[in-house]
Amino acid sequence: MSNASGARGVTVRIFLIDGTPQGLRTVDRTGWTGTCLTFARPGYAEARQRPEVKRTGVYVLVGRDENDTPRLYVGEGDEVRVRLDSHHREKDFWTHGYVLTTKDDSLNKAHVRWLEARLLQIATEASTATLDNGTAPQLPYLSEPDQADMEWYLENALTLLPMVGIPHFEILESNSAIPETAVAVAAPEGPTYFLKTVLTEATGRDDPRGFTVLEGAYGRKEKKAMSRGYEAQRDKLIADGILVEHGTEQLRLTRTHIFDSPSSAASVLSGGSKNGRDNWKDAYGRTLKQNQERATEGAAP
């Protein structure tokens, strides 16, 4: 059955391999031959014994850099384990790994090279994490039937990744310059919140992916005292052209952007550390914190 927004429900199965939520997991969905193996780096010794890493597939490594900014690497391999062994020795940043393959080992080298290139294109456009990849490969040739199959595979994979903790392949469809090679996700629904401080004016919404600030927001150019992580986020948005100078005293958000929290959104835009739950307010002047508490009280039995 479809809901009011037209989206269809899907069945997703998460299998806890060792019976603990912190351990190895496989994630799949009904009607899809694909599967995703997830593991924390301390569990890689066990993960590398799994059949999933012995197959042809793509993988994503996720962690944070020295500035506490999300960082990810996307790769592919005929036998994923060979590549992961190398990254386990040589790459320090990653803390979690995700392997996308199929239950019947039906992916070939051309398939996974295409999937790798698509994932990198989408992550680049989403711009919520720094890519550890040195270069982004061009999409390799696939026959029309194979390309259709891989689009279907990718659509299913992108449904699963946010569930296992990777929001870095989601692009809001309200952004004006989404390339044909990207996959758009619906703009968040729910109450609209406003941020108004010195030289800062923004509109945003809170949803499970993070706190979304809409294109056209204004921030303060001058930077006050702020945490290292927020400063790094702000510097990256400026370097990527997502925050640009507007006049002599302000910055402007050139595209809708998902921040990891209301506080990071408020702090990056205002140029100083802010408690987003107190600073974002709805049209009635209620703070995000007040509305969250009201919603919790209303849900109580």
Side-chain angles (χ1 to χ4, degrees), residues 234-264:
R234 178 183 169 100
D235 290 344
K236 183 177 187 302
L237 290 177
I238 293 172
D240 291 344
I242 297 174
L243 273 178
V244 299
E245 291 188 5
H246 180 78
T248 59
E249 297 183 297
Q250 289 182 298
L251 299 172
R252 179 174 58 85
L253 192 68
T254 61
R255 48 163 289 176
T256 297
H257 183 75
I258 303 175
F259 291 85
D260 55 14
S261 70
S263 292
S264 67

PDB file of all heavy atoms in Angstrom, residues 234-264:
ATOM      1  N   ARG A 234      32.268  24.527   8.008  1.00  0.00           N
ATOM      2  CA  ARG A 234      32.084  25.844   7.371  1.00  0.00           C
ATOM      3  C   ARG A 234      33.136  26.066   6.285  1.00  0.00           C
ATOM      4  O   ARG A 234      32.810  26.489   5.168  1.00  0.00           O
ATOM      5  CB  ARG A 234      32.168  26.919   8.451  1.00  0.00           C
ATOM      6  CG  ARG A 234      32.036  28.366   7.955  1.00  0.00           C
ATOM      7  CD  ARG A 234      32.228  29.280   9.151  1.00  0.00           C
ATOM      8  NE  ARG A 234      32.386  30.674   8.768  1.00  0.00           N
ATOM      9  CZ  ARG A 234      31.428  31.596   8.814  1.00  0.00           C
ATOM     10  NH1 ARG A 234      30.215  31.264   9.205  1.00  0.00           N
ATOM     11  NH2 ARG A 234      31.667  32.850   8.477  1.00  0.00           N
ATOM     12  N   ASP A 235      34.394  25.750   6.590  1.00  0.00           N
ATOM     13  CA  ASP A 235      35.468  25.947   5.622  1.00  0.00           C
ATOM     14  C   ASP A 235      35.256  25.077   4.384  1.00  0.00           C
ATOM     15  O   ASP A 235      35.533  25.502   3.253  1.00  0.00           O
ATOM     16  CB  ASP A 235      36.822  25.630   6.257  1.00  0.00           C
ATOM     17  CG  ASP A 235      37.231  26.656   7.308  1.00  0.00           C
ATOM     18  OD1 ASP A 235      36.626  27.753   7.325  1.00  0.00           O
ATOM     19  OD2 ASP A 235      38.138  26.361   8.110  1.00  0.00           O
ATOM     20  N   LYS A 236      34.768  23.854   4.590  1.00  0.00           N
ATOM     21  CA  LYS A 236      34.540  22.960   3.448  1.00  0.00           C
ATOM     22  C   LYS A 236      33.408  23.473   2.563  1.00  0.00           C
ATOM     23  O   LYS A 236      33.492  23.420   1.334  1.00  0.00           O
ATOM     24  CB  LYS A 236      34.226  21.543   3.929  1.00  0.00           C
ATOM     25  CG  LYS A 236      34.062  20.552   2.775  1.00  0.00           C
ATOM     26  CD  LYS A 236      33.825  19.146   3.275  1.00  0.00           C
ATOM     27  CE  LYS A 236      33.845  18.158   2.103  1.00  0.00           C
ATOM     28  NZ  LYS A 236      32.855  18.450   1.063  1.00  0.00           N
ATOM     29  N   LEU A 237      32.322  23.964   3.181  1.00  0.00           N
ATOM     30  CA  LEU A 237      31.210  24.498   2.395  1.00  0.00           C
ATOM     31  C   LEU A 237      31.652  25.702   1.568  1.00  0.00           C
ATOM     32  O   LEU A 237      31.210  25.888   0.431  1.00  0.00           O
ATOM     33  CB  LEU A 237      30.050  24.871   3.313  1.00  0.00           C
ATOM     34  CG  LEU A 237      29.308  23.704   3.969  1.00  0.00           C
ATOM     35  CD1 LEU A 237      28.232  24.225   4.907  1.00  0.00           C
ATOM     36  CD2 LEU A 237      28.689  22.786   2.927  1.00  0.00           C
ATOM     37  N   ILE A 238      32.526  26.508   2.145  1.00  0.00           N
ATOM     38  CA  ILE A 238      33.054  27.661   1.405  1.00  0.00           C
ATOM     39  C   ILE A 238      33.959  27.185   0.266  1.00  0.00           C
ATOM     40  O   ILE A 238      33.856  27.660  -0.865  1.00  0.00           O
ATOM     41  CB  ILE A 238      33.816  28.607   2.355  1.00  0.00           C
ATOM     42  CG1 ILE A 238      32.833  29.260   3.352  1.00  0.00           C
ATOM     43  CG2 ILE A 238      34.576  29.670   1.574  1.00  0.00           C
ATOM     44  CD1 ILE A 238      33.498  30.066   4.443  1.00  0.00           C
ATOM     45  N   ALA A 239      34.833  26.231   0.563  1.00  0.00           N
ATOM     46  CA  ALA A 239      35.742  25.716  -0.464  1.00  0.00           C
ATOM     47  C   ALA A 239      34.981  25.059  -1.608  1.00  0.00           C
ATOM     48  O   ALA A 239      35.401  25.134  -2.771  1.00  0.00           O
ATOM     49  CB  ALA A 239      36.723  24.722   0.164  1.00  0.00           C
ATOM     50  N   ASP A 240      33.851  24.417  -1.302  1.00  0.00           N
ATOM     51  CA  ASP A 240      33.054  23.725  -2.321  1.00  0.00           C
ATOM     52  C   ASP A 240      32.084  24.646  -3.049  1.00  0.00           C
ATOM     53  O   ASP A 240      31.352  24.200  -3.940  1.00  0.00           O
ATOM     54  CB  ASP A 240      32.266  22.581  -1.684  1.00  0.00           C
ATOM     55  CG  ASP A 240      33.163  21.440  -1.210  1.00  0.00           C
ATOM     56  OD1 ASP A 240      34.338  21.398  -1.644  1.00  0.00           O
ATOM     57  OD2 ASP A 240      32.702  20.599  -0.417  1.00  0.00           O
ATOM     58  N   GLY A 241      32.054  25.930  -2.669  1.00  0.00           N
ATOM     59  CA  GLY A 241      31.156  26.864  -3.338  1.00  0.00           C
ATOM     60  C   GLY A 241      29.702  26.736  -2.914  1.00  0.00           C
ATOM     61  O   GLY A 241      28.811  27.274  -3.573  1.00  0.00           O
ATOM     62  N   ILE A 242      29.452  26.044  -1.828  1.00  0.00           N
ATOM     63  CA  ILE A 242      28.080  25.923  -1.318  1.00  0.00           C
ATOM     64  C   ILE A 242      27.739  27.134  -0.458  1.00  0.00           C
ATOM     65  O   ILE A 242      26.593  27.589  -0.423  1.00  0.00           O
ATOM     66  CB  ILE A 242      27.920  24.600  -0.543  1.00  0.00           C
ATOM     67  CG1 ILE A 242      28.153  23.421  -1.488  1.00  0.00           C
ATOM     68  CG2 ILE A 242      26.543  24.497   0.097  1.00  0.00           C
ATOM     69  CD1 ILE A 242      28.174  22.075  -0.809  1.00  0.00           C
ATOM     70  N   LEU A 243      28.719  27.679   0.225  1.00  0.00           N
ATOM     71  CA  LEU A 243      28.606  28.975   0.897  1.00  0.00           C
ATOM     72  C   LEU A 243      29.483  29.972   0.146  1.00  0.00           C
ATOM     73  O   LEU A 243      30.687  29.739  -0.007  1.00  0.00           O
ATOM     74  CB  LEU A 243      29.064  28.880   2.355  1.00  0.00           C
ATOM     75  CG  LEU A 243      28.038  28.474   3.417  1.00  0.00           C
ATOM     76  CD1 LEU A 243      28.719  28.386   4.782  1.00  0.00           C
ATOM     77  CD2 LEU A 243      26.868  29.443   3.479  1.00  0.00           C
ATOM     78  N   VAL A 244      28.896  31.058  -0.333  1.00  0.00           N
ATOM     79  CA  VAL A 244      29.659  32.052  -1.098  1.00  0.00           C
ATOM     80  C   VAL A 244      29.468  33.431  -0.465  1.00  0.00           C
ATOM     81  O   VAL A 244      28.502  33.669   0.267  1.00  0.00           O
ATOM     82  CB  VAL A 244      29.215  32.084  -2.572  1.00  0.00           C
ATOM     83  CG1 VAL A 244      29.452  30.742  -3.237  1.00  0.00           C
ATOM     84  CG2 VAL A 244      27.742  32.501  -2.697  1.00  0.00           C
ATOM     85  N   GLU A 245      30.388  34.316  -0.754  1.00  0.00           N
ATOM     86  CA  GLU A 245      30.299  35.678  -0.219  1.00  0.00           C
ATOM     87  C   GLU A 245      29.073  36.392  -0.785  1.00  0.00           C
ATOM     88  O   GLU A 245      28.751  36.282  -1.971  1.00  0.00           O
ATOM     89  CB  GLU A 245      31.556  36.462  -0.557  1.00  0.00           C
ATOM     90  CG  GLU A 245      32.793  35.972   0.196  1.00  0.00           C
ATOM     91  CD  GLU A 245      33.983  36.881  -0.017  1.00  0.00           C
ATOM     92  OE1 GLU A 245      33.805  37.933  -0.681  1.00  0.00           O
ATOM     93  OE2 GLU A 245      35.078  36.553   0.461  1.00  0.00           O
ATOM     94  N   HIS A 246      28.418  37.144   0.100  1.00  0.00           N
ATOM     95  CA  HIS A 246      27.274  37.961  -0.309  1.00  0.00           C
ATOM     96  C   HIS A 246      27.476  39.341   0.311  1.00  0.00           C
ATOM     97  O   HIS A 246      27.246  39.551   1.512  1.00  0.00           O
ATOM     98  CB  HIS A 246      25.965  37.334   0.191  1.00  0.00           C
ATOM     99  CG  HIS A 246      24.741  38.117  -0.191  1.00  0.00           C
ATOM    100  ND1 HIS A 246      24.180  38.078  -1.454  1.00  0.00           N
ATOM    101  CD2 HIS A 246      23.964  38.968   0.533  1.00  0.00           C
ATOM    102  CE1 HIS A 246      23.123  38.855  -1.489  1.00  0.00           C
ATOM    103  NE2 HIS A 246      22.970  39.417  -0.298  1.00  0.00           N
ATOM    104  N   GLY A 247      27.937  40.280  -0.498  1.00  0.00           N
ATOM    105  CA  GLY A 247      28.284  41.570   0.059  1.00  0.00           C
ATOM    106  C   GLY A 247      29.545  41.477   0.887  1.00  0.00           C
ATOM    107  O   GLY A 247      30.359  40.564   0.726  1.00  0.00           O
ATOM    108  N   THR A 248      29.700  42.410   1.801  1.00  0.00           N
ATOM    109  CA  THR A 248      30.923  42.463   2.599  1.00  0.00           C
ATOM    110  C   THR A 248      30.804  41.775   3.948  1.00  0.00           C
ATOM    111  O   THR A 248      31.808  41.495   4.594  1.00  0.00           O
ATOM    112  CB  THR A 248      31.326  43.931   2.838  1.00  0.00           C
ATOM    113  OG1 THR A 248      30.258  44.608   3.522  1.00  0.00           O
ATOM    114  CG2 THR A 248      31.623  44.633   1.522  1.00  0.00           C
ATOM    115  N   GLU A 249      29.573  41.474   4.378  1.00  0.00           N
ATOM    116  CA  GLU A 249      29.397  40.967   5.730  1.00  0.00           C
ATOM    117  C   GLU A 249      28.689  39.618   5.813  1.00  0.00           C
ATOM    118  O   GLU A 249      28.589  39.052   6.906  1.00  0.00           O
ATOM    119  CB  GLU A 249      28.587  41.975   6.568  1.00  0.00           C
ATOM    120  CG  GLU A 249      29.272  43.309   6.760  1.00  0.00           C
ATOM    121  CD  GLU A 249      28.459  44.221   7.650  1.00  0.00           C
ATOM    122  OE1 GLU A 249      27.324  44.580   7.265  1.00  0.00           O
ATOM    123  OE2 GLU A 249      28.966  44.549   8.746  1.00  0.00           O
ATOM    124  N   GLN A 250      28.217  39.095   4.695  1.00  0.00           N
ATOM    125  CA  GLN A 250      27.421  37.879   4.746  1.00  0.00           C
ATOM    126  C   GLN A 250      27.916  36.806   3.785  1.00  0.00           C
ATOM    127  O   GLN A 250      28.675  37.059   2.853  1.00  0.00           O
ATOM    128  CB  GLN A 250      25.949  38.192   4.412  1.00  0.00           C
ATOM    129  CG  GLN A 250      25.219  38.974   5.492  1.00  0.00           C
ATOM    130  CD  GLN A 250      23.768  39.209   5.103  1.00  0.00           C
ATOM    131  OE1 GLN A 250      23.486  39.859   4.105  1.00  0.00           O
ATOM    132  NE2 GLN A 250      22.852  38.679   5.897  1.00  0.00           N
ATOM    133  N   LEU A 251      27.440  35.587   4.045  1.00  0.00           N
ATOM    134  CA  LEU A 251      27.600  34.446   3.154  1.00  0.00           C
ATOM    135  C   LEU A 251      26.207  34.000   2.720  1.00  0.00           C
ATOM    136  O   LEU A 251      25.225  34.213   3.436  1.00  0.00           O
ATOM    137  CB  LEU A 251      28.311  33.290   3.868  1.00  0.00           C
ATOM    138  CG  LEU A 251      29.722  33.551   4.396  1.00  0.00           C
ATOM    139  CD1 LEU A 251      30.188  32.367   5.234  1.00  0.00           C
ATOM    140  CD2 LEU A 251      30.688  33.807   3.248  1.00  0.00           C
ATOM    141  N   ARG A 252      26.121  33.356   1.558  1.00  0.00           N
ATOM    142  CA  ARG A 252      24.830  32.868   1.071  1.00  0.00           C
ATOM    143  C   ARG A 252      24.956  31.390   0.712  1.00  0.00           C
ATOM    144  O   ARG A 252      25.937  30.954   0.115  1.00  0.00           O
ATOM    145  CB  ARG A 252      24.392  33.658  -0.165  1.00  0.00           C
ATOM    146  CG  ARG A 252      23.056  33.206  -0.761  1.00  0.00           C
ATOM    147  CD  ARG A 252      22.621  34.125  -1.896  1.00  0.00           C
ATOM    148  NE  ARG A 252      23.628  34.177  -2.958  1.00  0.00           N
ATOM    149  CZ  ARG A 252      23.696  33.275  -3.942  1.00  0.00           C
ATOM    150  NH1 ARG A 252      22.848  32.276  -4.000  1.00  0.00           N
ATOM    151  NH2 ARG A 252      24.640  33.399  -4.884  1.00  0.00           N
ATOM    152  N   LEU A 253      23.939  30.616   1.100  1.00  0.00           N
ATOM    153  CA  LEU A 253      23.896  29.192   0.799  1.00  0.00           C
ATOM    154  C   LEU A 253      23.351  29.009  -0.618  1.00  0.00           C
ATOM    155  O   LEU A 253      22.205  29.372  -0.903  1.00  0.00           O
ATOM    156  CB  LEU A 253      23.003  28.467   1.817  1.00  0.00           C
ATOM    157  CG  LEU A 253      23.071  26.943   1.836  1.00  0.00           C
ATOM    158  CD1 LEU A 253      24.432  26.461   2.337  1.00  0.00           C
ATOM    159  CD2 LEU A 253      21.962  26.380   2.741  1.00  0.00           C
ATOM    160  N   THR A 254      24.166  28.451  -1.507  1.00  0.00           N
ATOM    161  CA  THR A 254      23.789  28.379  -2.924  1.00  0.00           C
ATOM    162  C   THR A 254      22.917  27.181  -3.252  1.00  0.00           C
ATOM    163  O   THR A 254      22.374  27.105  -4.351  1.00  0.00           O
ATOM    164  CB  THR A 254      25.048  28.315  -3.814  1.00  0.00           C
ATOM    165  OG1 THR A 254      25.804  27.134  -3.476  1.00  0.00           O
ATOM    166  CG2 THR A 254      25.911  29.548  -3.619  1.00  0.00           C
ATOM    167  N   ARG A 255      22.782  26.239  -2.338  1.00  0.00           N
ATOM    168  CA  ARG A 255      21.949  25.067  -2.587  1.00  0.00           C
ATOM    169  C   ARG A 255      21.481  24.495  -1.265  1.00  0.00           C
ATOM    170  O   ARG A 255      22.092  24.718  -0.203  1.00  0.00           O
ATOM    171  CB  ARG A 255      22.719  23.997  -3.345  1.00  0.00           C
ATOM    172  CG  ARG A 255      24.095  23.685  -2.768  1.00  0.00           C
ATOM    173  CD  ARG A 255      24.641  22.383  -3.267  1.00  0.00           C
ATOM    174  NE  ARG A 255      23.898  21.271  -2.672  1.00  0.00           N
ATOM    175  CZ  ARG A 255      24.112  19.995  -2.978  1.00  0.00           C
ATOM    176  NH1 ARG A 255      24.995  19.690  -3.886  1.00  0.00           N
ATOM    177  NH2 ARG A 255      23.427  19.043  -2.386  1.00  0.00           N
ATOM    178  N   THR A 256      20.365  23.825  -1.282  1.00  0.00           N
ATOM    179  CA  THR A 256      19.851  23.182  -0.080  1.00  0.00           C
ATOM    180  C   THR A 256      20.875  22.172   0.423  1.00  0.00           C
ATOM    181  O   THR A 256      21.439  21.402  -0.350  1.00  0.00           O
ATOM    182  CB  THR A 256      18.513  22.494  -0.386  1.00  0.00           C
ATOM    183  OG1 THR A 256      17.561  23.488  -0.783  1.00  0.00           O
ATOM    184  CG2 THR A 256      17.978  21.757   0.829  1.00  0.00           C
ATOM    185  N   HIS A 257      21.090  22.181   1.745  1.00  0.00           N
ATOM    186  CA  HIS A 257      22.154  21.344   2.313  1.00  0.00           C
ATOM    187  C   HIS A 257      21.683  20.679   3.598  1.00  0.00           C
ATOM    188  O   HIS A 257      21.007  21.294   4.424  1.00  0.00           O
ATOM    189  CB  HIS A 257      23.398  22.206   2.598  1.00  0.00           C
ATOM    190  CG  HIS A 257      24.559  21.426   3.105  1.00  0.00           C
ATOM    191  ND1 HIS A 257      25.335  20.625   2.276  1.00  0.00           N
ATOM    192  CD2 HIS A 257      25.074  21.292   4.359  1.00  0.00           C
ATOM    193  CE1 HIS A 257      26.286  20.059   2.999  1.00  0.00           C
ATOM    194  NE2 HIS A 257      26.146  20.443   4.258  1.00  0.00           N
ATOM    195  N   ILE A 258      22.054  19.406   3.751  1.00  0.00           N
ATOM    196  CA  ILE A 258      21.727  18.656   4.961  1.00  0.00           C
ATOM    197  C   ILE A 258      22.908  18.724   5.927  1.00  0.00           C
ATOM    198  O   ILE A 258      23.993  18.213   5.627  1.00  0.00           O
ATOM    199  CB  ILE A 258      21.399  17.192   4.653  1.00  0.00           C
ATOM    200  CG1 ILE A 258      20.246  17.088   3.649  1.00  0.00           C
ATOM    201  CG2 ILE A 258      21.026  16.441   5.932  1.00  0.00           C
ATOM    202  CD1 ILE A 258      19.949  15.665   3.204  1.00  0.00           C
ATOM    203  N   PHE A 259      22.702  19.344   7.076  1.00  0.00           N
ATOM    204  CA  PHE A 259      23.697  19.359   8.144  1.00  0.00           C
ATOM    205  C   PHE A 259      23.452  18.155   9.057  1.00  0.00           C
ATOM    206  O   PHE A 259      22.347  17.605   9.084  1.00  0.00           O
ATOM    207  CB  PHE A 259      23.608  20.648   8.948  1.00  0.00           C
ATOM    208  CG  PHE A 259      24.053  21.875   8.190  1.00  0.00           C
ATOM    209  CD1 PHE A 259      23.174  22.555   7.355  1.00  0.00           C
ATOM    210  CD2 PHE A 259      25.346  22.352   8.317  1.00  0.00           C
ATOM    211  CE1 PHE A 259      23.578  23.685   6.656  1.00  0.00           C
ATOM    212  CE2 PHE A 259      25.765  23.484   7.618  1.00  0.00           C
ATOM    213  CZ  PHE A 259      24.876  24.150   6.786  1.00  0.00           C
ATOM    214  N   ASP A 260      24.457  17.782   9.825  1.00  0.00           N
ATOM    215  CA  ASP A 260      24.273  16.596  10.656  1.00  0.00           C
ATOM    216  C   ASP A 260      23.462  16.870  11.920  1.00  0.00           C
ATOM    217  O   ASP A 260      23.031  15.931  12.592  1.00  0.00           O
ATOM    218  CB  ASP A 260      25.619  15.944  11.011  1.00  0.00           C
ATOM    219  CG  ASP A 260      26.591  16.916  11.685  1.00  0.00           C
ATOM    220  OD1 ASP A 260      26.166  17.994  12.117  1.00  0.00           O
ATOM    221  OD2 ASP A 260      27.780  16.580  11.774  1.00  0.00           O
ATOM    222  N   SER A 261      23.226  18.131  12.245  1.00  0.00           N
ATOM    223  CA  SER A 261      22.423  18.458  13.432  1.00  0.00           C
ATOM    224  C   SER A 261      21.941  19.904  13.338  1.00  0.00           C
ATOM    225  O   SER A 261      22.516  20.712  12.593  1.00  0.00           O
ATOM    226  CB  SER A 261      23.255  18.282  14.713  1.00  0.00           C
ATOM    227  OG  SER A 261      24.249  19.294  14.808  1.00  0.00           O
ATOM    228  N   PRO A 262      20.899  20.261  14.108  1.00  0.00           N
ATOM    229  CA  PRO A 262      20.461  21.661  14.145  1.00  0.00           C
ATOM    230  C   PRO A 262      21.550  22.595  14.642  1.00  0.00           C
ATOM    231  O   PRO A 262      21.665  23.730  14.182  1.00  0.00           O
ATOM    232  CB  PRO A 262      19.268  21.632  15.108  1.00  0.00           C
ATOM    233  CG  PRO A 262      18.795  20.226  15.112  1.00  0.00           C
ATOM    234  CD  PRO A 262      20.022  19.386  14.908  1.00  0.00           C
ATOM    235  N   SER A 263      22.376  22.113  15.579  1.00  0.00           N
ATOM    236  CA  SER A 263      23.442  22.961  16.123  1.00  0.00           C
ATOM    237  C   SER A 263      24.526  23.232  15.100  1.00  0.00           C
ATOM    238  O   SER A 263      25.052  24.347  15.012  1.00  0.00           O
ATOM    239  CB  SER A 263      24.038  22.318  17.376  1.00  0.00           C
ATOM    240  OG  SER A 263      23.100  22.304  18.433  1.00  0.00           O
ATOM    241  N   SER A 264      24.894  22.217  14.316  1.00  0.00           N
ATOM    242  CA  SER A 264      25.917  22.463  13.295  1.00  0.00           C
ATOM    243  C   SER A 264      25.398  23.426  12.242  1.00  0.00           C
ATOM    244  O   SER A 264      26.130  24.312  11.778  1.00  0.00           O
ATOM    245  CB  SER A 264      26.368  21.156  12.647  1.00  0.00           C
ATOM    246  OG  SER A 264      25.341  20.562  11.892  1.00  0.00           O
TER     247      SER A 264
END
